[in-house]
Amino acid sequence: MLARQRQTAILELIRQHGGVRVSHLVSRFGVSDMTIRRDLEALAERGLIDKVHGGATLPGPGSTDEPGFDAKSVRQRAEKRAIAERAAALVEPGMAVALSAGTTTAALAALLADVRGLTVVTNSVPVADALHQRPRADRTVVLTGGIRTPSDALTGPVAEAAIGSLNVDVLFLGVHGMSPRTGFTTPNLLEAGTNRFLIDAARRLVVLADHTKWETIGMATIAPLSAADVLVTDAGLPAQARGQLADQVGELIVVPTGAEPSRPGDG
């Protein structure tokens, strides 16, 4: 396959899925890692894609743009892992916890797989899958029904009816963006509504948001910053933003990652 043909095929995959990993492209096309990276560089120079750590995504999100789960999963992986590890320390055996949709909450789900006696409520297909892959007899997973969004969230009246009848100790909420003016936001109106039901069902709200979410604004507000009992973020967050968040959220937890600051993304 000629380079131009391969690049056209790569672009089509990115358009279909919202994003791809370099490792997946290497396996799919049977070429070297360096060849794929040159292909992505050529597409990026033409303004057709955005290169991110470990892969590529479609460029230029707006307030209603909603990347798919695969697209978000290649962004800020080190930061999301560090945030998930810190969040896992807030979970105790025997708790009832809720996890919203998102790549950071999916990372958290994998870390909770060995915690004893958990009941997990989620509207996220990847979260439920992560726990299903490591079953425990003493764990219950409640997956809501609903309308599936590009981020693999189950939303709408069916999801809200299920969530509305439940009560949990803590909700771990992933968000598209956060700012003092708009609060925590998402580009999906249905997802915003379902997330509000999750918040209402929880005694405690823990928001998981890496530094790229600062001043990223989705079309729909989920909740004001002051609604968060805890916000877990990473050390890439600017000092000014830390000050503003510390004034509004109940507790601000900033985790080190060792990763270089990266471009804004979704998660």
Side-chain angles (χ1 to χ4, degrees), residues 83-84 86-87 90 104 170-180 183-185 204-215 224-235 237-238 241-255:
I83 290 168
R86 182 63 182 85
L90 303 176
T104 311
V170 59
L171 164 65
F172 294 95
L173 178 70
V175 298
H176 172 83
M178 56 182 175
S179 80
F184 299 111
T185 61
R204 193 174 188 219
L205 172 60
V206 179
V207 177
L208 311 181
D210 68 72
H211 69 276
T212 66
K213 308 303 174 61
W214 181 248
E215 293 294 4
L225 298 181
S226 59
D229 296 293
V230 180
L231 171 62
V232 187
T233 187
D234 66 90
L237 190 72
R242 297 187 198 190
Q244 293 184 62
L245 286 167
D247 287 340
Q248 297 199 51
V249 304
E251 179 184 3
L252 178 65
I253 298 176
V254 180
V255 297

Side-chain angles (χ1 to χ4, degrees), residues 12-116:
E12 182 59 28
L13 284 172
I14 295 173
R15 286 172 173 167
Q16 287 176 4
H17 301 287
V20 291
R21 295 181 184 274
V22 169
S23 58
H24 173 74
L25 296 176
V26 167
S27 175
R28 184 181 182 94
F29 293 103
V31 295
S32 69
D33 181 281
M34 186 60 65
T35 296
I36 291 298
R37 292 185 186 278
R38 283 197 296 265
D39 288 337
L40 296 180
E41 185 66 37
L43 291 168
E45 287 178 355
R46 293 159 59 193
L48 298 174
I49 66 167
D50 282 345
K51 290 180 63 182
V52 297
H53 181 70
T57 66
L58 292 175
S63 64
T64 60
D65 181 81
E66 185 176 9
F69 186 88
D70 288 343
K72 292 185 286 186
S73 69
V74 301
R75 299 176 176 179
Q76 290 75 54
R77 284 182 290 178
E79 291 91 334
K80 291 173 182 177
R81 173 72 184 188
I83 290 168
E85 288 176 348
R86 182 63 182 85
L90 303 176
V91 178
E92 299 177 1
M95 275 188 164
V97 303
L99 277 68
S100 77
T103 50
T104 311
T105 52
L108 172 59
L111 297 175
L112 299 182
D114 294 326
V115 179
R116 293 181 290 105

